Amino acid sequence: DAGVIQSPRHEVTEMGQEVTLRCKPISGHDYLFWYRQTMMRGLELLIYFNNNVPIDDSGMPEDRFSAKMPNASFSTLKIQPSEPRDSAVYFCASSSGQGLEQFFGPGTRLTVL
Amino acid sequence: EDQVTQSPEALRLQEGESSSLNCSYTVSGLRGLFWYRQDPGKGPEFLFTLYSAGEEKEKERLKATLTKKESFLHITAPKPEDSATYLCAVQTSGSARQLTFGSGTQLTVLP
């Protein structure tokens, strides 16, 4: 039973470049969440979707960040242009409509030089 | 504003030395309190959900309890493989599906 899948696992890029992070939720889950984790701020919710529709994006730090969910099995988080302060681990999580629990992927470690 | 505070920040135990981690919360309308375990370089792993005061859940050496103001994660006779960061999160009736996480307790169990 596959869990949440994220790619790439590691990304190193230079300031100003576009970065795209990818997520495949658990099959049958209709909620998808994007989080960012840093030492200073811990785990923060960026945005979440229900049935592919963005519900709350109030955690998205600024217009450089965007997220899409074109279908039930795929979502992207894009940063354009990237900045060094975006360096963090980005997690995707999913949950079903019946349960409140969220199940996390392995994360993408982003380093912006 | 919902607040979740975990203590201690770090805890070192000898193998077999039982202890408890604390998660205190200030929220309006708790829907659920969640415990996760996070190993270095990995995503948080779901452990427990607690819904109401007085509820308890157990899994191997771990037992989670909930009161109206806090939750405890009791670790009985820990082993080195229990070493990890333990995260607490809350979901409230006014926050839809959002989780608010505490900063975690880093547990080290020495052999």
Side-chain angles (χ1 to χ4, degrees):
Chain A
D1 185 20
V4 175
I5 299 171
Q6 292 188 246
S7 64
R9 293 295 314 277
H10 302 274
E11 178 81 32
V12 180
T13 190
E14 292 188 346
M15 182 173 64
Q17 297 298 307
E18 178 179 296
V19 175
T20 299
L21 311 181
R22 297 172 176 80
C23 174
K24 177 179 169 56
I26 294 171
S27 178
H29 282 190
D30 45 15
Y31 286 86
L32 183 139
F33 307 82
W34 282 102
Y35 289 87
R36 180 171 66 177
Q37 186 175 42
T38 61
M39 288 294 293
M40 290 295 295
R41 300 175 67 89
L43 261 172
E44 300 176 288
L45 178 66
L46 301 177
I47 185 172
Y48 79 94
F49 296 81
N50 178 214
N51 292 323
N52 313 338
V53 176
I55 301 301
D56 188 341
D57 65 354
S58 59
M60 296 285 261
E62 46 197 276
D63 292 345
R64 298 184 297 105
F65 286 69
S66 63
K68 294 182 179 180
M69 191 165 185
N71 58 63
S73 60
F74 183 67
S75 177
T76 60
L77 178 67
K78 186 177 293 186
I79 308 173
Q80 166 65 19
S82 58
E83 297 183 2
R85 59 191 166 123
D86 301 331
S87 297
V89 182
Y90 291 80
F91 289 104
C92 176
S94 69
S95 71
S96 72
Q98 286 71 43
L100 301 180
E101 302 83 7
Q102 296 178 18
F103 297 89
F104 285 74
T108 296
R109 181 174 294 276
L110 173 65
T111 302
V112 183
L113 302 174
Chain B
E1 183 179 336
D2 300 336
Q3 286 196 330
V4 181
T5 304
Q6 291 189 246
S7 62
E9 291 186 10
L11 181 63
R12 291 167 68 92
L13 299 174
Q14 289 295 133
E15 184 172 2
E17 180 187 2
S18 301
S19 188
S20 297
L21 312 182
N22 178 262
C23 171
S24 62
Y25 59 92
T26 305
V27 301
S28 52
L30 181 72
R31 287 183 76 193
L33 185 140
F34 307 83
W35 282 98
Y36 286 84
R37 168 191 171 129
Q38 186 173 23
D39 292 293
K42 296 190 176 182
E45 175 190 348
F46 170 73
L47 294 174
F48 303 109
T49 306
L50 302 167
Y51 294 100
S52 57
E55 189 174 1
E56 299 182 352
K57 288 194 176 171
E58 288 188 66
K59 179 180 179 180
E60 296 180 355
R61 294 177 293 282
L62 300 177
K63 179 180 177 180
T65 62
L66 181 65
T67 73
K68 289 186 178 180
K69 294 183 179 180
E70 58 192 348
S71 176
F72 292 94
L73 185 65
H74 306 279
I75 304 176
T76 301
K79 298 181 178 182
E81 52 262 43
D82 295 322
S83 298
T85 295
Y86 290 85
L87 296 166
C88 168
V90 298
Q91 189 177 99
T92 67
S93 55
S95 66
R97 286 280 178 151
Q98 295 171 328
L99 291 182
T100 300
F101 278 87
S103 55
T105 294
Q106 185 174 9
L107 174 66
T108 303
V109 182
L110 303 171

